[in-house]
Amino acid sequence: MKRNVLHHRWVVVGSVLMVFLMTGVPCLAQSQETPAEISAALMEMIQKHDQALNDQDLDTILSTYAPDGTIVLMGTGPGEAWVGKEEIADAYIHFFMDFDAGTLKTECTWHRADERGNVAWLMLMCNFTDYLKNVERSYALNISAVTEQIDGQWYFRTFHFSNLTSPY
């Protein structure tokens, strides 16, 4: 049961960013301190990740994480932390089992973001809907991510998602 909840949460995480950024709410481009071309490049990387999540394309998802150094994916509870490409890839493979490809829909109700040189961060509160075997599900998540620009390309360094869960 706990594993299914975990998988469901992650599916939402990627979906949040995808729908949020693809629905014309360019949170990063709104910052007056951030050059538009950098914001557009960061948004392009996030959209690449989220489209790949919706398509269940593991190779493309992993290409959005930094190629060197430490990368971390973290969920809500104890044990929900994956470090490095192998662990993150395994987490995504399990996430794919928890939703039907192409069914994720998101409405973000709050966001903040900022870029400082080659580092940027995002924070979002979003509501999700998806389908698993033609059964609709709805849930809400908080999402945060730190990204880094390496050789002109943006990558995820950390990605965190959380939601309220029942202690029972």
Side-chain angles (χ1 to χ4, degrees):
M1 178 74 167
K2 181 179 177 183
R3 188 163 180 85
N4 190 29
V5 170
L6 169 65
H7 294 175
H8 188 65
R9 286 186 216 151
W10 173 243
V11 168
V12 174
V13 169
S15 304
V16 168
L17 287 174
M18 177 177 65
V19 174
F20 178 72
L21 294 172
M22 295 178 81
T23 58
V25 187
C27 67
L28 297 175
Q30 291 177 357
S31 172
Q32 294 179 1
E33 299 175 15
T34 304
E37 66 274 5
I38 297 201
S39 294
L42 180 55
M43 288 174 55
E44 185 177 310
M45 182 277 297
I46 292 166
Q47 290 172 340
K48 177 181 174 182
H49 168 274
D50 295 338
Q51 184 61 51
L53 178 65
N54 199 32
D55 294 342
Q56 298 184 358
D57 177 353
L58 183 61
D59 290 336
T60 300
I61 289 170
L62 293 175
S63 76
T64 64
Y65 281 85
D68 59 4
T70 302
I71 55 173
V72 178
L73 169 64
M74 181 175 276
T76 302
E80 295 181 5
W82 301 273
V83 179
K85 288 216 178 186
E86 278 188 38
E87 288 184 15
I88 292 172
D90 186 58
Y92 276 96
I93 289 168
H94 287 93
F95 297 153
F96 293 162
M97 293 187 281
D98 200 45
F99 73 102
D100 297 331
T103 64
L104 301 171
K105 294 185 183 182
T106 306
E107 177 189 6
C108 294
T109 58
W110 182 89
H111 68 277
R112 293 293 181 269
D114 198 6
E115 291 180 32
R116 301 294 169 137
N118 68 335
V119 175
W121 58 264
L122 313 164
M123 298 188 86
L124 308 140
M125 291 180 182
C126 301
N127 299 311
F128 294 88
T129 303
D130 68 15
Y131 286 83
L132 179 61
K133 298 179 183 176
N134 296 319
V135 175
E136 182 180 64
R137 302 174 302 168
S138 297
Y139 43 94
L141 287 179
N142 290 338
I143 298 170
S144 61
V146 174
T147 62
E148 180 182 15
Q149 191 177 47
I150 302 169
D151 296 328
Q153 191 85 351
W154 285 100
Y155 298 95
F156 287 111
R157 270 288 163 210
T158 67
F159 202 114
H160 176 257
F161 60 93
S162 63
N163 70 343
L164 294 175
T165 58
S166 171
Y168 305 102

